[in-house]
Amino acid sequence: MADPIVRVEEIHKSFGSLEVLKGISMSVNQGEVFVLLGPSGSGKSTLLRTVNHLEKIDAGRIYVDGDLVGYRQQGEKLHELRDSEIVDSRAKIGMVFQHFNLFPHMTALENVALAPRIVLDRKGSEARRRATELLDRVGLADKTDEYPARLSGGQQQRVAIARALAMEPKVMLFDEVTSALDPELVKDVLDVMRELAKLGMTMLVVTHEIGFAREVANQVIFMDEGVIVEQGSPDQVIGNPKEERTKRFLGQVLEH
C-alpha cells in the first residue's frame, strides 16, 4: 500500500480555554473521498482548516503528500515555516469555502486564471486557456466573462471550485460548500464534486449532505466535541451506526 496522501497525527487545537480538537488522528489515501460529519461546533471545519495551515495546531503533526504542513522539524522541535514557504506548500492543497470569496471586480475567467499566474508563474495566455477549460468542466463555459454579481450562488461556488482546481492541487478541501446555497442550486455544485470524485481527485469534505456522503464517500467520520466518535465506510457510519451520538445526529439531519 502507498503511504496516505493526508496523514493527521494526534492533533490538538484550542481557542483560548476551549479545546476544539482533542487528539485527532486520521489518514486519507490517494483518490479517496473522505467526508466529515458532525453537529455545528464539533471541530470539523477547524480540522479541515488545519490541513492547509489556515489554523495553526497546538500539538501533533499533519503531512500532505509526505511533507509536514506548516512546520519544519529539526531534531524533536518544530519550527513554523515562513509565510512564503507556507504559500508554496498550500499550492498543492485546494480549498473551497462556504462563502465564495471571489474577487468582485474580476470576471469568472480572471478569478480562475489569477493564482496560476501569480503563484505558479504561468503565462497569461496559458492561465486563461486552462481557466476556460476548467469553467467548461464545471458547466460554466458560457459565463467566462460574467462578474460574480451577475452569477447565482451556485454558479459562484462552481467558479470557486474551478479556481481551486486551477492550482492543480493534490488534495481538495470542501468546507460546507453548499450550506449557503438555495436548495435548487445545491445539486449543480454536488454534481461537480461527484465528477471530481470519478476522476480520482482526493477530497476532504465537511458537509451535511448525507445523500452525497452515502453515494460518493470512501470513508466517513462522525465528529462530536472535538473527537472522532465513529469512522468507517458510508454503509457502516451512515447505514448502521454503532454509537448513540451518531444515531442521534443522523436522526436529526435526516428528519429535515
Side-chain angles (χ1 to χ4, degrees), residues 24 32 34 56 73 108 113 140 218:
I24 297 277
E32 275 192 327
F34 194 104
K56 299 176 185 182
Q73 184 157 347
L140 295 173
N218 302 99

Side-chain angles (χ1 to χ4, degrees), residues 6-144:
V6 178
R7 199 164 84 245
V8 173
E9 298 178 351
E10 283 294 315
I11 64 166
H12 291 259
K13 172 68 182 176
S14 295
F15 295 107
S17 61
L18 178 65
E19 193 177 10
V20 181
L21 300 176
K22 304 172 182 175
I24 297 277
S25 296
M26 63 181 207
S27 59
V28 183
N29 293 320
Q30 178 92 41
E32 275 192 327
V33 179
F34 194 104
V35 170
L36 295 83
L37 301 176
S40 296
S42 60
K44 316 177 297 294
S45 290
T46 301
L47 173 57
L48 203 69
R49 290 165 68 87
T50 64
V51 173
N52 68 350
H53 203 62
L54 282 175
E55 296 289 357
K56 299 176 185 182
I57 56 178
D58 299 324
R61 304 273 193 284
I62 299 173
Y63 297 88
V64 173
D65 200 25
D67 294 328
L68 193 57
V69 171
Y71 300 90
R72 178 185 299 105
Q73 184 157 347
Q74 291 176 311
E76 288 299 298
K77 293 201 72 172
L78 290 184
H79 301 272
E80 191 170 10
L81 298 176
R82 294 193 302 273
D83 286 350
S84 60
E85 296 173 303
I86 289 168
V87 167
D88 286 345
S89 68
R90 215 176 258 152
K92 67 170 80 166
I93 307 166
M95 184 151 189
V96 186
F97 301 88
Q98 178 177 348
H99 299 291
F100 327 119
N101 302 332
L102 300 176
F103 291 111
H105 62 289
M106 292 184 171
T107 64
L109 185 78
E110 289 165 343
N111 265 283
V112 176
L114 180 65
R117 283 198 296 112
I118 293 173
V119 181
L120 301 180
D121 210 18
R122 295 279 150 80
K123 284 190 188 138
S125 57
E126 184 188 344
R128 284 192 299 276
R129 180 186 58 73
R130 178 81 177 128
T132 304
E133 284 173 6
L134 288 168
L135 287 167
D136 184 29
R137 189 197 289 185
V138 299
L140 295 173
D142 58 337
K143 302 292 183 188
T144 55

Side-chain angles (χ1 to χ4, degrees), residues 127-255:
R128 284 192 299 276
R129 180 186 58 73
R130 178 81 177 128
T132 304
E133 284 173 6
L134 288 168
L135 287 167
D136 184 29
R137 189 197 289 185
V138 299
L140 295 173
D142 58 337
K143 302 292 183 188
T144 55
D145 297 325
E146 295 287 5
Y147 289 90
R150 292 175 56 91
L151 299 173
S152 71
Q155 289 168 337
Q156 289 185 59
Q157 193 58 289
R158 285 184 280 153
V159 174
I161 293 172
R163 179 179 59 182
L165 290 172
M167 294 297 289
E168 298 170 14
K170 300 279 180 72
V171 177
M172 285 280 283
L173 312 178
F174 293 89
D175 188 12
E176 299 274 20
V177 296
T178 58
S179 61
L181 300 179
D182 293 333
E184 69 271 18
L185 302 176
V186 168
K187 180 182 179 298
D188 289 341
V189 174
L190 293 180
D191 282 348
V192 169
M193 294 168 68
R194 284 187 185 95
E195 198 55 40
L196 288 177
K198 279 187 200 151
L199 294 169
M201 173 62 75
T202 307
M203 295 156 62
L204 276 74
V205 183
V206 171
T207 187
H208 285 290
E209 299 288 342
I210 302 297
F212 173 82
R214 192 183 299 228
E215 177 194 344
V216 177
N218 302 99
Q219 290 192 70
V220 176
I221 63 173
F222 172 69
M223 285 180 68
D224 195 14
E225 297 182 350
V227 298
I228 294 175
V229 176
E230 198 157 350
Q231 176 171 353
S233 69
D235 284 348
Q236 291 167 320
V237 176
I238 299 171
N240 188 26
K242 293 183 172 50
E243 300 294 329
E244 215 38 64
R245 278 194 279 180
T246 318
K247 291 175 187 172
R248 196 163 59 240
F249 170 78
L250 289 168
Q252 289 167 344
V253 172
L254 293 171
E255 276 171 20

